[in-house]
Amino acid sequence: MQIGILALQGGYQAHANCVNALGVSTRFVRKKEDFTDIDGLILPGGESSTLLKLIETFDLVSALKDFQAKKKPIYGTCAGMILLAKTVVPQQFSLGAIDISVARNAYGRQIDSFIAMSDAIESPDFGCAQMECVFIRAPRVQSVGEGVTTLLRYRAEPILVRQDHILAGSFHPELSQDRAVHQYFLAMISAS
Ligand code: GLN
């Protein structure tokens, strides 16, 4: 198994470290050819407007859409979640891969970044009762469509959601010690 990590801007190295620590190899994705031979893809946090410009500059929109159409698992963190969402507020281009609406920066500006514990976890999927969550200029999930499952919440609001092969979260598990979200994503790939 090899995991691609979009490595144009933002927190890609930290994601690679997490996946490598779980014994799985990674490949930085910067051009179309990098999509061959990857079984799943992580879109890291960063700045979604900047990421969009770079994705267009490097001509990766169709490669991303093709990868998604093949039902290969994709996990988007923070700006990555914004890229995957169906609706973004304020409006900007997105892949529309998961039926959620997200509001950019709705948890506050950089100075309002915070670390908090998630709400109690009911599902056994993560093997823990609560998870530490790092929020950095995080997007807020405003609504989720019928086909979307909420896996984690903070103050009753969704912060980790899944629709089929797409996983998206507003926080940064790559900056905490717990590898449960990366493990969950690797299990999605193994099952796909
Ligand atoms: N606020 C950023 C955006 O709108 C996301 C921040 C992050 O990825 N940590 O793209």
Side-chain angles (χ1 to χ4, degrees):
M1 187 193 290
Q2 177 157 254
I3 310 300
I5 302 180
L6 189 70
L8 301 176
Q9 188 256 345
Y12 53 87
Q13 184 66 56
H15 275 291
N17 295 346
C18 290
V19 173
N20 294 155
L22 292 169
V24 175
S25 67
T26 48
R27 173 178 190 154
F28 287 142
V29 172
R30 296 192 172 106
K31 47 190 190 313
K32 285 178 190 172
E33 303 82 79
D34 296 330
F35 284 84
T36 44
D37 301 332
I38 58 168
D39 305 294
L41 177 68
I42 294 179
L43 306 179
E47 200 57 45
S48 57
S49 48
T50 308
L51 274 165
L52 278 175
K53 278 188 193 137
L54 293 168
I55 286 168
E56 278 165 22
T57 304
F58 289 81
D59 194 21
L60 295 180
V61 176
S62 58
L64 282 164
K65 285 188 171 168
D66 289 351
F67 193 79
Q68 180 212 330
K70 284 187 201 149
K71 303 266 178 216
K72 300 255 194 159
I74 307 179
Y75 167 35
T77 307
C78 206
M81 173 164 89
I82 297 169
L83 295 181
L84 290 171
K86 186 173 179 185
T87 310
V88 180
V89 179
Q91 204 277 326
Q92 68 183 24
F93 173 82
S94 60
L95 295 165
I98 181 165
D99 188 8
I100 56 173
S101 166
V102 296
R104 291 180 65 196
N105 302 314
Y107 281 104
R109 299 164 66 93
Q110 183 81 8
I111 199 166
D112 304 310
S113 298
F114 62 101
I115 302 176
M117 295 307 283
S118 71
D119 291 356
I121 301 172
E122 284 148 33
S123 116
D125 285 333
F126 298 101
C128 52
Q130 261 185 314
M131 203 179 298
E132 180 187 273
C133 302
V134 178
F135 294 90
I136 304 169
R137 300 190 318 282
R140 209 169 202 137
V141 179
Q142 295 183 312
S143 64
V144 301
E146 257 177 34
V148 178
T149 306
T150 297
L151 299 170
L152 281 180
R153 292 178 190 273
Y154 169 65
R155 295 191 169 171
E157 292 183 12
I159 54 168
L160 185 70
V161 289
R162 175 178 176 180
Q163 184 172 20
D164 304 323
H165 61 297
I166 306 292
L167 181 68
S170 42
F171 65 102
H172 292 267
E174 77 281 9
L175 299 180
S176 293
Q177 297 305 313
D178 193 335
R179 297 284 159 261
V181 178
H182 290 85
Q183 253 160 346
Y184 181 89
F185 183 56
L186 295 180
M188 271 173 67
I189 298 170
S190 297
S192 73

